[in-house]
Amino acid sequence: MIKTFINKADNAIATFVFAHGAGAGQSSDFMALVAEGISQHHINVVRFNFAYMQLAEELGRRRPPDRADKLIIHYKSVLSELSSCVPVFIGGKSMGGRIASMLLEDSNAKGCICMGYPFHPPAKPKKLRTEHLQNLQKPLLVLQGERDNFGTKDEIDGYLMSSNVQVIYLTDGDHSFKPRKKSGVTLAQNINNAVQESVMFINRNL
């Protein structure tokens, strides 16, 4: 049994499985804020740690992520343990969203939400991670900070992706959606916008 955090919603209409990014686990501030926000809209949110992150927390020191194929297997095992009878959506923060997007087509999920998708490694704009996004048949929502160094708005606008991929930009946000003070927007506002867009996406695709 994989240890999970579950934000249970009243009268749930769907379940969103929300995977963490490479450097911070399921209990990070970002993960907790987003999960709590989405669960206020009749959507259960399930969080979990990938095996390498669970070990890192037990040992008290950082560890590098496992290979993508191992992460995919772990994510699938989480999905196999869901007992919910409501529709399932998958996604995650950064790496977690990428892994969810890679298994979307072969899963029972109705759609995927990626928060801060890592389109390429920082400072390596030609090393794209978009090939599997070109032929997606299921809906995928990308919520991206405008100046995310894993893929800025200017860069993403030139990528070839399926018409089922929708990208929504968060004002002046970085990879964690944090804007600069001069933008006049706060991190709380960007996270709230991400929550609202996620809820609307799930409702549209039930």
Side-chain angles (χ1 to χ4, degrees):
M1 181 73 67
I2 296 171
K3 184 180 178 182
T4 57
F5 284 174
I6 303 177
N7 294 75
K8 290 191 175 181
D10 294 330
N11 304 313
I13 57 171
T15 291
F16 175 47
V17 182
F18 187 34
H20 63 77
Q26 64 176 344
S27 57
S28 72
D29 289 346
F30 181 93
M31 296 289 292
L33 284 169
V34 171
E36 178 62 24
I38 291 176
S39 70
Q40 297 301 311
H41 297 271
H42 308 295
I43 299 164
N44 295 321
V45 182
V46 175
R47 290 177 278 156
F48 66 93
N49 276 339
F50 288 108
Y52 83 91
M53 182 60 70
Q54 187 62 44
L55 182 59
E57 291 187 358
E58 290 170 2
L59 296 176
R61 60 175 185 266
R62 291 174 67 92
R63 290 179 60 86
D66 293 319
R67 291 172 55 90
D69 54 353
K70 188 172 181 179
L71 297 174
I72 289 171
I73 290 170
H74 190 104
Y75 205 127
K76 285 181 176 179
S77 69
V78 173
L79 295 179
S80 72
E81 291 184 3
L82 288 181
S83 59
S84 176
C85 59
V86 296
V88 173
F89 291 78
I90 60 177
K93 173 73 179 82
S94 191
M95 178 196 76
R98 180 190 175 208
I99 296 303
S101 72
M102 292 171 75
L103 61 88
L104 175 61
E105 292 289 89
D106 296 325
S107 74
N108 65 346
K110 297 182 73 68
C112 180
I113 302 169
C114 299
M115 301 194 184
Y117 187 87
F119 285 97
H120 60 73
K124 296 180 180 179
K126 293 184 178 180
K127 195 174 180 181
L128 291 178
R129 298 159 171 160
T130 57
E131 185 175 357
H132 70 288
L133 302 179
Q134 295 175 15
N135 299 301
L136 277 183
Q137 300 301 305
K138 290 184 179 181
L140 183 144
L141 173 65
V142 175
L143 296 161
Q144 196 84 353
E146 288 181 332
R147 56 188 184 86
D148 189 331
N149 62 350
F150 286 79
T152 65
K153 183 179 187 301
D154 288 343
E155 291 171 336
I156 295 167
D157 286 347
Y159 295 159
L160 176 64
M161 294 188 286
S162 165
S163 60
N164 291 308
V165 177
Q166 177 189 14
V167 183
I168 292 177
Y169 297 100
L170 299 168
T171 303
D172 199 54
D174 63 9
H175 192 51
S176 295
F177 302 163
K178 185 178 180 180
R180 293 167 293 190
K181 204 171 208 179
K182 66 181 182 181
S183 70
V185 178
T186 66
L187 174 60
Q189 287 174 313
N190 273 349
I191 288 180
N192 183 63
N193 286 343
V195 167
Q196 298 303 321
E197 292 291 350
S198 297
V199 170
M200 287 190 288
F201 173 82
I202 289 172
N203 277 277
R204 278 197 308 273
N205 292 289
L206 285 171

